[in-house]
Amino acid sequence: MHVYFFGGGSADGSAADNDLLGGKGANLAEMTRLGLPVPPGFTITTAACNHYFANGEQWPEGMDAQVRTGVARLEEITGKTFGGSANPLLFSVRSGAPVSMPGMMDTVLNLGLNDLTVAALAERSGNERFAWDSYRRFLQMFGDVVLRIHMSRFNRVLSDLAGQRDAAELSLDELQRLCAAYRGVIESATGAFPSDPREQLHAAINAVFSSFNTKRARYYRKTNGIAEDCGTGVNVQAMVFGNMGAGCATGVAFTRDPSTGRRIFFGEWLPDAQGEDVVAGTHTPRALNNEKDPAATDTLEALMPTVYERLYEVQRRLEVHYEDMQDIEFTVEDSRLYLLQTRTGKRTTAAAVQIAVDLVEEGVIDEEEALRRIRPEKLEEVLRPVLDPGAPRRVIGRGLPASPGAASGVVVFHSEEAQELVERGEAVVLVRMETSPEDIQGMTVSEGILTSRGGQTSHAAVVARGMGKPCVVGATEIAVDYGRQLFYAGDTVVRRGDWITLDGSTGEIMEGNVPTLPAATDSGAMSRLLSWADARARLTVRANADNGPDATRARELGAVGIGLCRTEHMFFQQTALRSMRQLILAEDQRARVRALANVLPIQRADFVEIFRAMDGLPVTVRLLDPPLHEFLPASPEDISQVAEDLGVRPEKLQERLDQLHESNPMMGHRGCRLGLTSPEIYDTQVRAILEASVQVSREGLEVLPEIMIPLVGMPEELQRLRERVEQQAEAVLAELGAAVDYKVGTMIELPRACLLADQVAEHADFFSFGTNDLTQMTWGFSRDDMSKFFSAYMLEGLLEDSPLARFDVDGVGQLVKTAVEKGRAAKPRLKIGICGEHGGDPTGVAFFHNAGLDYVSCSPFRVPVARLAAAHAALGLI
Ligand code: PEP
Ligand code: MG
């Protein structure tokens, strides 16, 4: 069967037929079955659509006859005749895919009009203006959607005739002339206007099928993960008219507020108008009621109280029936309400959480269903500003979505400039080719960060995520010119001081200041939802944080410890950085010791803050990891400035830089290699950790420090460093006359460490997978450079997601499994976690759950994501 009928109180299909009939068709059938006032019609199946594409745009056998039968049944039910000269039956022809693709596909209204039927419609309705207005709408839509005549040709004719006026303001006589002119446009473009309504219907059905396959629809499916072969249904439905004069109206309604989730009935309507007028933005719609604006006048509730009451009842009924918030389209013809569509309403993530929790409290759904309804990765958006969904925007480029949320500001290219402008009260977006630790302050004050290079674990991405700032990285489509203080995005030139807007959830870069909705504060709904998640999860969730405020925020968001404190971030604080540079340039042991003595109190103070924030919870501190050259300046100007500041000759600084230079620093002198060759650095860090631990425990708080050694590839590396850490720790504790229960463990971030995990485990109290490095080292690409070829791999279909963002279960996953098995074989109670970025990636969380890890650790803003993902993993949902 290719055609499913609905009308007269019964329907061939139901909501269960979503895949076959598309969302719109399935719900029209369902509403008909519920006895709701739905204009009768029929739905052509998605299977017929797929057949159409697979068979040279031919209808499947039997469909033509079934369409004819459908039309005949509609004639019978409505008492009207398709193409009839007395009481003509008109149709709307609309698309409807199984997954909503808003605005992507086409619709034709008032189909069946021609010079003859328009006269009949005028006669029958007693409203000539209405009939001709419907005809001009039809000619234009049919010309545009079905005959593919460019809209500008219709617009030109309209402005020749009406000047600045809208078509709605034309007199009857003008409308008639406009229709003749529109017909002229069609005839000159295609030779003839198809007056025969059956021919119109055939062509419109094909046009709706074809709209499924336009470039923009394909792009939408690709970017939203919708199957290419889902097809669209075609809904042919008897027209009802909201534009037939007094007593007529049209509108859209939501059973709850889609922005906040509040339980209010909310929507917009227009009297004497047709559906597209409300959504097209050409008219300003009115409020349905006073729920949002007590001062609103002209509400449907006030002007058509009986209709409103009926609509209110219907929306309640639909929500209870579908057990979710509905988005409803309705039309009122001669004071009678008709429903044209219902679907699960799109909503912000904050609203989704509120609605799910409220529905549990109202007894409509259970806790597990509420958990199921929220996609974990979406939770990161809840506490960030989002783009106003209704705001117009012009996308000028795209990059990788690195940290969600929307940000607008004026473009600056340098960190210092960002700080200056912010001090003057401006909002800025920092645009860089890439960021380095020196940009931290500029990043801190910026609304958002955009880089043209780098992947999802580049410096910019990791730091922005930690800060909870919207960030787009690796936007290879843009070309940054620091010299001229501008960047190119396709044909657009964006200069310093111009406004741009970033969407860190999609990677889109937009021109101008696109309005945003402010970050929601947790109304309590998210906490409730997450408490249900925790009750089901096995994995616990820690956070990656390296300062007190981040640790506090992480705890508020539900982190039960710190899984990674990257101590190098502390060294970028001005005084510490200076000491660090002195250390690197030190000629002898004495100078080194002096420099480290300056670092010690700064580190200790940071640890004190973190330990206080994490009272009673474990804190894993990683000893220094990055190669030393990262602490030194790179550009000639910076080199001379820093040399002056440190009182050394620039040549000397350059000489040291040359010594430290590595062709591939990611595989260079870093991590525990640094600890083994410059042991005094780790000694100082261990001292700072233990002194801080003693101080905070003497304040009566509980401190559970875990010292972590990075980038171990040889069991002996860990063995030696552990010995040294223990010696130093014991020495400090003896000095202070205190005892602290500390642990020593290692990061597992090299394939060799995975393969020898049993031997490594002998020296470790815990393992923490550093999946950023482990991914980089397994794939053999550089975390910082991969975006250069990554976009090409995406286009070629070689990769769907960056393995740095979405955990590579097939490859890196095997190494993780091996390491867990070997590690636990050697030490059955070995505690194992993960602190790479995949700790906040739901695919990763599901994998780590199944691999038997104890915890995941991620940036503070991703803690809710990981908590929900851990529950989804335990419930088998991912
Ligand atoms: C890792 O490699 O996964 C990790 C957490 O360390 P970093 O990102 O600091 O190298
Ligand atoms: Mg690492």
Side-chain angles (χ1 to χ4, degrees):
M1 192 154 86
H2 310 295
V3 170
Y4 281 62
F5 194 83
F6 55 90
S10 70
D12 296 334
S14 74
D17 297 311
N18 188 72
D19 288 351
L20 185 64
L21 302 182
K24 189 176 287 162
N27 288 329
L28 286 169
E30 186 79 9
M31 288 196 291
T32 306
R33 282 169 178 251
L34 288 174
L36 296 176
V38 174
F42 55 83
T43 305
I44 300 166
T45 64
T46 55
C49 172
N50 285 333
H51 179 281
Y52 177 80
F53 288 120
N55 293 278
E57 309 199 340
Q58 293 302 311
W59 288 7
E61 181 142 350
M63 178 172 139
D64 194 36
Q66 290 174 24
V67 167
R68 264 183 277 130
T69 310
V71 172
R73 281 181 74 182
L74 290 174
E75 289 181 327
E76 203 178 292
I77 291 184
T78 57
K80 300 179 182 181
T81 314
F82 190 44
S85 57
N87 189 5
L89 175 59
L90 303 183
F91 291 138
S92 71
V93 182
R94 294 163 182 245
S95 59
V99 183
S100 146
M101 297 167 50
M104 286 298 130
M105 293 186 296
D106 291 327
T107 291
V108 182
L109 301 180
N110 307 334
L111 185 129
L113 281 175
N114 54 31
D115 290 354
L116 200 73
T117 51
V118 71
L121 184 66
E123 170 87 28
R124 197 71 203 187
S125 64
N127 184 339
E128 259 190 306
R129 215 187 160 285
F130 149 72
W132 285 92
D133 186 50
S134 302
Y135 194 22
R136 70 97 191 156
R137 288 173 190 262
F138 168 63
L139 288 165
Q140 190 184 2
M141 267 195 224
F142 192 80
D144 169 32
V145 170
V146 181
L147 304 173
R148 299 268 157 231
I149 301 170
H150 203 275
M151 273 299 276
S152 61
R153 296 182 65 174
F154 294 100
N155 290 341
R156 207 170 313 132
V157 167
L158 173 64
S159 60
D160 284 351
L161 200 132
Q164 295 296 314
R165 287 175 302 159
D166 186 80
E169 298 166 56
L170 300 184
S171 68
L172 173 62
D173 175 53
E174 284 172 319
L175 274 175
Q176 286 172 334
R177 279 193 282 132
L178 183 65
C179 287
Y182 277 178
R183 275 196 60 153
V185 169
I186 292 175
E187 278 155 15
S188 75
T190 63
F193 166 69
S195 284
D196 177 359
R198 283 170 207 276
E199 209 184 307
Q200 293 174 2
L201 181 59
H202 196 103
I205 291 170
N206 286 349
V208 172
F209 279 159
S210 302
S211 69
F212 181 75
N213 235 359
T214 57
K215 216 169 146 194
R216 64 176 179 168
R218 284 204 304 270
Y219 181 78
Y220 186 88
R221 283 196 291 279
K222 192 167 164 49
T223 48
N224 288 277
I226 302 172
E228 256 310 289
D229 59 358
C230 68
T232 182
V234 182
N235 300 289
V236 178
Q237 202 176 8
M239 280 297 301
V240 285
F241 295 99
N243 58 335
M244 219 160 65
C248 296
T250 186
V252 292
F254 290 86
T255 58
R256 300 184 189 226
D257 184 338
S259 309
T260 63
R262 263 177 65 212
R263 193 182 167 176
I264 52 169
F265 178 45
F266 157 80
E268 293 179 325
W269 73 293
L270 276 172
D272 194 14
Q274 243 178 1
E276 80 269 16
D277 300 332
V278 179
V279 281
T282 45
H283 300 61
T284 309
R286 305 170 182 187
L288 281 185
N289 53 30
N290 292 100
E291 289 280 11
K292 276 209 160 172
D293 176 9
T297 50
D298 297 341
T299 62
L300 185 73
E301 187 175 17
L303 299 187
M304 294 187 177
T306 323
V307 169
Y308 178 82
E309 209 171 291
R310 177 91 176 102
L311 179 63
Y312 190 87
E313 261 167 42
V314 167
Q315 61 91 18
R316 287 297 343 134
R317 181 135 180 242
L318 283 173
E319 190 182 270
V320 170
H321 181 73
Y322 283 97
E323 299 182 345
D324 204 352
M325 188 261 266
Q326 296 294 295
D327 163 357
I328 299 162
E329 279 179 26
F330 66 91
T331 282
V332 183
E333 182 186 278
D334 279 338
S335 301
R336 283 190 53 190
L337 175 70
Y338 292 95
L339 296 170
L340 302 186
Q341 171 165 315
T342 188
R343 60 181 168 193
T344 299
K346 291 219 180 299
R347 60 202 83 182
T348 61
T349 307
V353 172
Q354 186 70 50
I355 291 169
V357 170
D358 285 349
L359 288 175
V360 172
E361 272 157 23
E362 290 160 27
V364 180
I365 60 173
D366 62 19
E367 290 175 10
E368 280 191 21
E369 176 59 23
L371 291 169
R372 188 170 297 136
R373 286 191 182 179
I374 312 292
R375 295 224 325 258
E377 61 275 22
K378 290 298 221 180
L379 271 190
E380 200 179 352
E381 291 169 18
V382 171
L383 304 174
R384 308 275 180 91
V386 289
L387 285 180
D388 181 344
R393 64 199 68 173
R394 190 171 95 84
V395 176
I396 55 172
R398 275 189 184 78
L400 303 172
S403 176
S408 308
V410 299
V411 168
V412 293
F413 293 94
H414 299 285
S415 183
E416 302 80 51
E417 227 181 339
Q419 295 171 65
E420 280 161 29
L421 288 191
V422 170
E423 271 166 32
R424 280 193 259 137
E426 302 233 35
V428 305
V429 170
L430 180 64
V431 181
R432 303 277 308 156
M433 287 181 189
E434 66 225 329
T435 63
S436 75
E438 284 174 301
D439 296 316
I440 297 272
Q441 268 133 345
M443 293 171 80
T444 310
V445 299
S446 300
E447 301 296 315
I449 296 131
L450 166 63
T451 70
S452 58
R453 298 185 188 149
Q456 268 122 333
T457 59
S458 63
H459 178 266
V462 172
V463 173
R465 261 200 297 279
M467 291 175 173
K469 287 222 186 262
C471 177
V472 175
V473 298
T476 45
E477 296 174 9
I478 69 164
V480 177
D481 185 338
Y482 288 138
R484 293 163 64 203
Q485 300 244 42
L486 52 80
F487 73 83
Y488 298 95
D491 297 338
T492 312
V493 182
V494 180
R495 292 171 202 284
R496 178 187 176 280
D498 290 349
W499 278 83
I500 59 166
T501 301
L502 302 179
D503 186 340
S505 313
T506 61
E508 284 173 338
I509 307 158
M510 288 148 281
E511 195 174 55
N513 182 0
V514 181
T516 55
L517 301 176
T521 45
D522 182 17
S523 57
M526 187 160 88
S527 308
R528 289 221 55 197
L529 185 86
L530 290 174
S531 70
W532 301 335
D534 292 346
R536 286 159 179 88
R538 190 186 55 73
L539 282 172
T540 58
V541 179
R542 298 191 188 185
N544 296 353
D546 25 75
N547 56 56
D550 282 1
T552 305
R553 184 176 312 117
R555 191 168 192 159
E556 281 163 10
L557 292 171
V560 292
I562 293 206
L564 173 64
C565 168
R566 289 181 167 100
T567 47
E568 61 271 18
H569 287 174
M570 301 172 175
F571 290 131
F572 288 104
Q573 190 260 13
Q574 277 312 314
T575 337
L577 184 61
R578 197 161 182 280
S579 304
M580 199 61 195
R581 286 172 170 167
Q582 280 165 337
L583 173 78
I584 297 169
L585 293 172
E587 300 273 4
D588 53 34
Q589 183 66 10
R590 266 191 43 219
R592 257 200 295 279
V593 169
R594 209 171 36 241
L596 279 168
N598 291 333
V599 171
L600 177 69
I602 299 171
Q603 283 249 297
R604 191 176 49 219
D606 277 322
F607 292 139
V608 164
E609 263 195 64
I610 295 172
F611 290 152
R612 281 186 187 138
M614 283 287 150
D615 174 23
L617 298 175
V619 176
T620 310
V621 180
R622 177 179 72 185
L623 303 183
L624 197 68
D625 180 53
L628 293 181
H629 75 86
E630 284 199 13
F631 298 98
L632 295 179
S635 71
E637 306 88 72
D638 290 347
I639 290 175
S640 30
Q641 202 189 333
V642 169
E644 193 186 324
D645 177 47
L646 296 178
V648 296
R649 284 176 299 111
E651 298 75 40
K652 168 148 172 32
L653 186 50
Q654 187 59 56
E655 202 180 293
R656 188 73 180 114
L657 273 167
D658 293 343
Q659 282 167 356
L660 290 173
H661 174 79
E662 290 173 322
S663 305
N664 194 343
M666 275 289 169
M667 294 189 170
H669 193 172
R670 55 173 287 220
C672 67
R673 300 161 194 168
L674 208 59
L676 284 160
T677 53
S678 305
E680 61 277 8
I681 300 181
Y682 279 13
D683 284 349
T684 306
Q685 293 195 293
V686 171
R687 173 172 286 278
I689 294 167
L690 285 150
E691 286 182 357
S693 301
V694 171
Q695 181 182 333
V696 176
S697 42
R698 284 183 177 154
E699 291 168 9
L701 305 181
E702 192 185 0
V703 189
L704 301 167
E706 301 179 340
I707 298 172
M708 181 157 76
I709 315 285
L711 216 75
V712 163
M714 303 164 67
E716 298 77 13
E717 288 171 330
L718 183 61
Q719 184 185 8
R720 290 190 190 189
L721 284 168
R722 181 180 185 126
E723 270 166 29
R724 177 118 189 177
V725 165
E726 281 174 347
Q727 265 169 23
Q728 172 74 342
E730 294 318 318
V732 174
L733 292 176
E735 260 173 49
L736 298 173
V740 169
D741 184 14
Y742 67 93
K743 293 192 165 36
V744 182
T746 182
M747 293 192 76
I748 301 286
E749 41 190 352
L750 292 177
R752 193 170 198 276
C754 296
L755 300 172
L756 302 185
D758 43 350
Q759 295 174 43
V760 175
E762 283 173 24
H763 312 292
D765 299 330
F766 62 88
F767 278 180
S768 178
F769 286 99
T771 49
N772 303 335
D773 274 312
L774 190 56
T775 302
Q776 159 175 268
M777 303 297 185
T778 304
W779 285 71
F781 56 54
S782 150
R783 284 156 67 170
D784 294 335
D785 296 328
M786 71 144 335
S787 67
K788 288 190 184 144
F789 63 88
F790 175 61
S791 41
Y793 268 43
M794 289 266 283
L795 281 176
E796 294 293 324
L798 269 168
L799 271 178
E800 266 185 26
D801 291 291
S802 160
L804 289 168
R806 183 190 278 244
F807 184 68
D808 167 29
V809 170
D810 295 342
V812 182
Q814 291 200 39
L815 285 170
V816 170
K817 262 202 197 133
T818 303
V820 172
E821 277 161 22
K822 291 195 166 220
R824 290 242 171 91
K827 218 176 234 180
R829 293 158 65 98
L830 185 72
K831 186 158 62 161
I832 307 183
I834 160 232
C835 63
E837 289 301 299
H838 305 96
D841 151 43
T843 308
V845 173
F847 177 84
F848 304 129
H849 167 90
N850 292 323
L853 267 61
D854 299 299
Y855 70 86
V856 298
S857 186
C858 56
S859 48
F861 282 94
R862 279 196 172 170
V863 167
V865 174
R867 288 169 71 192
L868 183 57
H872 275 213
L875 293 171
L877 299 175
I878 34 175

